[in-house]
């Protein structure tokens, strides 16, 4: 079974799969007065059933494009992954702006881990299995099973509200009720894929790497890779526009109750993400209320939550009578009842005391507005987590999250990150000794996950571009001229003596402050992926039939060829050009970025312009289009050009290197290697 058959199989699955409502099974426990419920959400799951490891393509990869027209977001579910060392997964959005490299240790230990991709915004995602070592590409007994995927439907209007809806956008309280807003930062939305896909809620618990939620969200003790989405809220008061949000994974459930009053669970979170993405410093954490019994009737409380009908974070702190919502009578000693508005998908959210932001209860049931009291939950976990009801250990988060997903390859700069301020800013690392300055640039020591799961240091060269020019990130460097500030990044061989892994993944975090008033502008978190390959060695598997062409001038037309189906041209390496084909019929030329060496052996990034031209009507279009002229496959070729206007500041001279491409269509996969030797 070849790669194209895999893709055809997946596309067929998209057409014939039935939509499955995503729900949790109801908990039948009846030993207390709190019953679990089935929470309806806005997700739909569709079957896929693809094994990417069945056969590799000419570049040592296998891929599938998952598309659902009209979807606003996608999550790909891997029901089983088992890989040999060196291989890894890459998932990217159609526009390439979101990329995730998956290479954590559980992929290689033979356990066949089940997990989900981070959320891809939009209606299409490219999933790739990559074996980078061209001399040892055998799948052996590897398995990469994509069983299904989920996508978002339009929000429904079903909600469990007591009287009128008193919920407000969380961001509305940033200035008017800052205590409640700061407390809400520690609460997140949880994406779970067990019997289908659904959302729950949770919060950072005092202590490192811990998140508390309900048992009906997390399930029992064991390895659980669920997605935590922080800061999923409106960007301004009464706005439907979403702010930046951050996703990380859990590793396991380390404590869990059952139904009723025991509806609690504690996750252990990916420690690398927790530290490098600054989870505790940005979002803070919460302590269980230290009272020996559940809080008395009349205690004012509030609930930060992601109601199913809204998605974006809300806060419910008022009752219909205009007074604060409160603990109300009812239930046993182990269960608290409250009169705050709540909704489906809120299970696991903290019910918080307004006076001190301690957790009074764990939300469990929206219809009855109740959940296990903090005092009861603490008694169940105190033998292993005795610190969890100590408010002095709680951390108040700084907030002001800014997220910039960045991916790059060796010597190819990442897309610059534009700062949120046009005034003079300074940038600092979260941790001491992670950022060193050298006048014209700084080196950030990124702690990244290498293929196989080990953690290694990679030095990322950073520069701040201001209206005054390029500088390092040192606070002593100033520019009083107002204007755009942007962070530029690159990974260079001379800054890294030994890069052992073909792919790295992780997070980098910088605090951005205004130099004049020293106020925090943003906590900039960069989910970061780095691919390490030799751009001057052919990536194609030895023995592969390769079409070789030479570009010795500033213009090249590749040979005109006809395959059994219409085809487009795709890049092999990320960052150089499009990685998947499209059915778009027209478009402007594509800019391809190629690392080339000059006469001194220095690597420079050269931009080439690419157009696909096909013969039936002398048409042209974007290079990766598979558009044709009817039922008969059209001949096509690639038009490559060097334009001075696309390469400002590039010194004159001779440049050499290579550009690997693939002619790709339905049942077509032909390797092409463009050897470049040009003078400019």
């Amino acid at each position: 079974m070849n790669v194209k058959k895999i893709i055809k199989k997946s596309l067929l699955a998209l057409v014939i799969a039935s939509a499955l409502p995503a729900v949790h099974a109801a908990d039948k426990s009846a030993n207390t007065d709190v019953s679990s419920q089935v929470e309806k959400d806005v997700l739909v799951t569709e079957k896929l059933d693809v094994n990417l490891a069945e056969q590799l393509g000419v570049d040592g990869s296998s891929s599938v494009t998952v598309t659902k027209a009209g979807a606003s977001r996608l999550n790909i579910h891997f029901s089983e992954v088992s890989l040999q060392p060196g291989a890894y997964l890459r998932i990217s959005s159609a526009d390439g702006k979101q990329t995730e490299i998956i290479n954590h240790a559980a992929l290689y230990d033979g356990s066949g881990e089940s997990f989900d991709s981070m959320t891809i915004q939009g209606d299409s995602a490219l999933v790739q299995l990559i074996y980078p070592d061209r001399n040892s590409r055998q799948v052996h007994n590897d398995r990469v099973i994509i069983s299904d995927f989920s996508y978002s439907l339009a929000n429904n209007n079903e909600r469990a509200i007591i009287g009128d809806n008193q919920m407000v956008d969380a961001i509305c309280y940033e200035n008017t009720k800052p205590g409640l807003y700061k407390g809400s930062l520690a609460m997140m939305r949880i994406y779970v894929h067990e019997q289908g896909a659904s959302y729950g809620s949770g919060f950072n618990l005092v202590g490192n790497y811990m998140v508390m939620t309900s048992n009906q969200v997390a399930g029992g003790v064991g390895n659980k890779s669920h997605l935590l989405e922080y800061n999923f809220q409106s960007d301004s008061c009464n706005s439907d526009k979403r702010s930046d949000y951050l996703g990380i994974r859990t590793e396991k459930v380390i404590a869990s109750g059952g139904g009723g009053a025991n509806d609690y669970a504690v996750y252990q979170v990916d420690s690398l993400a927790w530290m490098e993405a600054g989870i505790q410093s940005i979002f803070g954490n919460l302590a269980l209320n230290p009272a020996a019994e559940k809080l008395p009737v009349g205690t004012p409380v509030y609930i930060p939550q992601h109601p199913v009908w809204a998605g974006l974070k809300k806060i419910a702190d008022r009752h219909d009578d205009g007074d604060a919502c409160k603990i109300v009578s009812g239930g046993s000693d182990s269960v608290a009842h409250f009169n705050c508005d709540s909704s489906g998908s809120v299970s696991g959210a903290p019910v918080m005391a307004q006076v001190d932001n301690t957790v009074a209860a764990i939300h469990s049931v929206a219809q009855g507005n109740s959940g296990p009291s903090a005092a009861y939950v603490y008694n169940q976990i105190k033998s292993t987590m005795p610190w969890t009801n100590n408010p002095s250990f709680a951390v108040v988060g700084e907030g002001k999250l800014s997220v910039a997903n960045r991916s790059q390859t060796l010597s190819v700069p990442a897309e610059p990150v534009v700062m949120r301020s046009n005034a003079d800013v300074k940038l600092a690392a979260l941790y001491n000794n992670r950022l060193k300055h050298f006048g014209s640039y700084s080196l950030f020591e990124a702690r990244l996950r290498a293929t196989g799961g080990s953690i290694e240091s990679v030095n990322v060269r950073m520069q701040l571009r201001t209206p005054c020019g390029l500088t390092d990130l040192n606070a002593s460097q100033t520019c009083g001229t107002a204007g755009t500030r942007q962070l530029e990044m690159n990974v260079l061989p001379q800054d890294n003596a030994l890069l052992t892994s073909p792919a790295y993944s992780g997070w980098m975090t910088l605090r951005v402050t205004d130099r004049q008033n020293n106020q925090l502008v943003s906590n900039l978190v960069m989910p970061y992926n780095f691919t390490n390959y030799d751009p001057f060695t052919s990536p194609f598997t030895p023995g592969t039939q390769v079409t070789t062409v030479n570009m010795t001038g500033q213009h090249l037309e590749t040979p005109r060829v006809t395959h059994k189906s219409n085809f487009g041209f795709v890049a092999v390496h990320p960052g150089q050009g499009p990685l998947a084909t499209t059915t778009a019929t027209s478009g402007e030329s594509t800019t391809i970025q190629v690392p080339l060496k000059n006469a001194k052996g220095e690597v420079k990034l050269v931009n080439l312009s690419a157009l696909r031209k096909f013969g039936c009507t002398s048409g042209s279009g974007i290079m990766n289009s598979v558009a044709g002229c009817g039922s008969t496959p059209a001949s096509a070729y690639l038009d490559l050009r060097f334009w001075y206007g696309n390469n400002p500041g590039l010194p004159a001279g001779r440049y050499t290197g290579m550009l690997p491409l693939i002619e790709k269509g339905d049942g077509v996969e032909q390797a092409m290697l463009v050897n470049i030797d040009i003078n400019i």
Side-chain angles (χ1 to χ4, degrees):
M1 185 177 189
N2 61 32
V3 175
K4 297 310 296 181
K5 287 183 179 177
I6 291 174
I7 295 175
K8 287 178 67 178
K9 181 178 180 181
S10 68
L11 294 177
L12 178 62
L14 299 188
V15 174
I16 66 175
S18 60
L20 303 176
V23 297
H24 285 300
D27 191 325
K28 302 299 184 181
S29 175
N31 58 355
T32 70
D33 59 351
V34 179
S35 62
S36 179
Q37 68 171 22
V38 176
E39 292 192 346
K40 184 177 180 181
D41 56 34
V42 296
L43 294 172
V44 171
T45 302
E46 287 196 8
K47 296 295 184 183
L48 201 55
D49 191 23
V50 172
N51 182 6
L52 283 182
E54 287 188 335
Q55 187 169 327
L56 302 179
V58 296
D59 60 339
S61 73
S62 177
S63 66
V64 60
T65 298
V66 178
T67 300
K68 186 66 181 182
S72 61
R73 49 188 278 150
L74 298 171
N75 291 91
I76 313 301
H77 182 63
F78 297 86
S79 59
E80 180 185 355
V81 176
S82 183
L83 294 177
Q84 60 184 284
Y88 62 94
L89 295 168
R90 181 171 60 221
I91 304 171
S92 53
S93 58
D95 60 9
K97 293 186 179 299
Q98 283 183 271
T99 299
E100 179 188 13
I101 287 176
I102 304 177
N103 58 351
H104 49 276
L107 273 62
Y108 309 95
D109 64 8
S111 62
E113 184 186 25
S114 169
F115 61 92
D116 293 270
S117 71
M118 291 295 178
T119 299
I120 294 292
Q121 299 297 326
D123 64 359
S124 185
L126 173 65
V127 185
Q128 295 174 288
L129 167 62
I130 298 170
Y131 291 79
D133 187 348
R134 63 193 297 267
N135 295 311
S136 60
R137 288 173 173 165
Q138 296 181 4
V139 297
H140 300 289
N141 295 318
D142 290 3
R143 291 174 65 79
V144 179
I145 308 299
I146 304 175
S147 60
D148 51 69
F149 70 99
S150 65
Y151 59 92
S152 289
L153 293 174
N155 290 346
N156 63 42
N157 291 315
E158 294 188 11
R159 51 193 180 186
I161 301 297
I162 301 174
D164 296 329
N165 182 9
Q166 302 297 331
M167 296 183 192
V168 299
D169 291 335
I171 193 67
C172 294
Y173 282 174
E174 183 177 22
N175 297 315
T176 59
K177 297 182 180 181
L180 272 60
Y181 176 73
K182 287 286 189 179
S184 75
L185 291 173
M187 177 263 174
M188 81 294 293
R189 181 162 76 165
I190 303 177
Y191 174 88
V192 176
H193 192 299
E194 297 295 338
Q195 303 299 320
S198 59
Y199 290 124
S201 300
F203 59 93
N204 292 342
L205 185 63
V206 290
N208 283 329
Y209 324 131
M210 294 198 303
V211 163
M212 178 163 274
T213 184
S214 66
N215 169 270
Q216 61 180 296
V217 172
V221 171
N223 293 335
K224 299 286 178 67
S225 181
H226 296 163
L227 301 184
L228 308 178
E229 296 182 336
Y230 290 87
N231 210 60
F232 201 87
Q233 62 187 38
S234 301
D235 70 340
S236 59
C237 190
N238 299 320
S239 170
D240 290 330
K241 184 179 179 182
R242 175 180 50 76
S243 65
D244 289 353
Y245 76 99
L246 180 66
I248 68 172
R249 286 189 177 86
T250 65
E251 290 183 342
K252 62 181 71 174
V253 176
I254 58 175
S256 186
N262 290 297
D263 191 13
Y264 68 88
V266 179
Y267 287 113
Q268 178 178 300
V269 179
D270 178 359
S271 59
L272 181 68
W274 184 276
M275 296 299 294
E276 298 305 310
I279 298 299
Q280 182 167 282
S281 62
I282 298 174
F283 305 108
N285 55 29
L286 305 175
L288 302 177
N289 189 278
E293 299 178 349
K294 72 177 183 180
L295 296 184
V297 171
T299 301
V301 293
Y302 72 102
I303 308 176
Q305 56 189 285
H306 291 283
V308 65
W309 50 270
L312 301 178
K313 186 185 293 184
K314 307 285 185 181
I315 291 178
D317 71 315
R318 314 301 295 177
H319 191 50
D320 290 350
D321 59 10
D323 200 359
C325 56
K326 303 177 177 68
I327 299 291
V328 297
S329 60
S332 65
D333 292 341
S334 58
V335 175
H337 286 248
F338 32 88
N339 63 3
C340 304
D341 290 333
S342 65
S343 176
S345 294
V346 184
S347 292
V351 181
M352 301 171 64
Q354 293 194 23
V355 67
D356 60 6
N357 276 344
T358 58
V359 177
I362 314 301
H363 189 286
S364 179
V365 179
Q367 297 292 341
N369 264 359
S370 61
S373 71
Y376 178 80
V377 171
Y378 178 70
N379 283 331
Q380 311 310 305
I381 65 174
K382 65 182 181 181
S383 62
T384 55
M385 306 174 201
W387 59 85
T388 52
N389 76 337
N390 189 336
S392 67
F393 292 162
V395 175
V396 178
E398 290 186 309
K400 295 190 178 298
L401 175 70
S402 175
V403 178
N405 291 276
R406 288 298 180 266
S407 298
Q408 68 177 114
T409 57
L410 188 66
S411 301
V412 179
E415 179 184 354
V417 179
V418 178
M419 300 292 102
R420 287 186 171 180
S421 173
N422 286 332
D424 207 11
V425 295
K426 54 184 178 182
L427 290 82
L430 278 182
Y431 307 113
N432 293 332
N433 302 319
R434 297 288 290 276
L435 194 60
K436 298 179 180 179
H437 309 290
F438 299 91
S440 61
Y441 67 92
S442 299
L443 283 182
F444 181 90
E445 182 191 348
R447 300 287 290 161
L448 302 178
R449 181 172 283 121
T451 300
S454 62
I455 308 302
E456 299 180 7
S457 292
V458 175
N459 290 319
V460 180
R461 183 173 292 215
M462 295 183 173
Q463 295 174 292
L464 185 65
R465 184 176 293 277
T466 74
C468 303
L470 278 172
T471 71
D472 65 12
L473 309 189
N474 194 341
S476 65
Q477 303 291 326
T478 62
C479 177
T481 305
T484 300
R485 268 76 175 162
Q486 61 184 30
L487 177 66
E488 299 185 0
M489 298 178 292
N490 205 351
V491 178
L492 300 176
Q494 59 264 38
D495 298 330
N496 295 274
L498 183 63
L499 293 174
T500 61
S501 175
Y504 295 88
S505 63
W507 298 261
M508 298 187 295
T509 300
L510 295 171
R511 299 185 78 254
V512 184
T513 56
D514 188 296
R515 191 182 302 277
Q516 297 300 316
N517 56 28
N518 209 35
Q519 295 295 307
L520 180 67
V521 174
S522 67
N523 278 301
L524 173 61
V525 181
M526 294 173 283
Y528 183 73
N529 299 289
F530 168 62
T531 306
N532 178 28
Y533 69 91
D534 181 359
F536 304 102
T537 299
S538 170
F540 299 118
T541 303
T544 298
Q545 180 181 353
V546 179
T547 300
T548 301
V549 294
N550 298 314
M551 184 174 183
T552 56
Q554 296 181 15
H555 178 217
L556 169 70
E557 292 182 353
T558 65
R560 184 189 300 269
V561 295
T562 303
H563 291 299
K564 65 180 182 180
S565 67
N566 290 317
F567 65 95
F569 299 86
V570 298
V572 172
H573 297 307
Q576 289 198 341
L579 299 173
T581 59
T582 178
T583 57
T585 57
S586 62
E588 298 180 354
S589 61
T590 304
T591 297
I592 296 178
Q593 297 182 308
V594 189
L596 299 178
K597 287 182 179 179
N598 62 16
K600 298 179 181 179
E602 299 169 330
V603 178
K604 300 292 184 180
L605 195 63
V606 177
N607 294 319
L608 300 178
S609 178
L611 273 175
R612 171 183 176 262
K613 295 190 174 183
F614 48 102
C616 52
T617 60
S618 299
S620 64
I622 54 178
M623 63 178 287
N624 56 325
S625 173
V626 294
C629 306
S631 58
T632 302
S635 62
Y637 64 95
L638 190 66
D639 184 295
L640 281 174
R641 295 176 186 266
F642 172 88
W643 298 103
Y644 287 100
N646 293 340
N647 294 274
L650 184 68
R654 181 186 179 190
Y655 290 87
T656 60
M658 62 177 59
L659 171 63
L661 300 169
I662 298 176
E663 299 168 2
K664 207 161 195 176
D666 186 8
V668 175
E669 188 172 85
Q670 173 61 48
M672 173 183 287
L673 190 64
V674 181
N675 292 314
I676 301 173
D677 189 343
I678 58 175
N679 286 283
I680 61 172

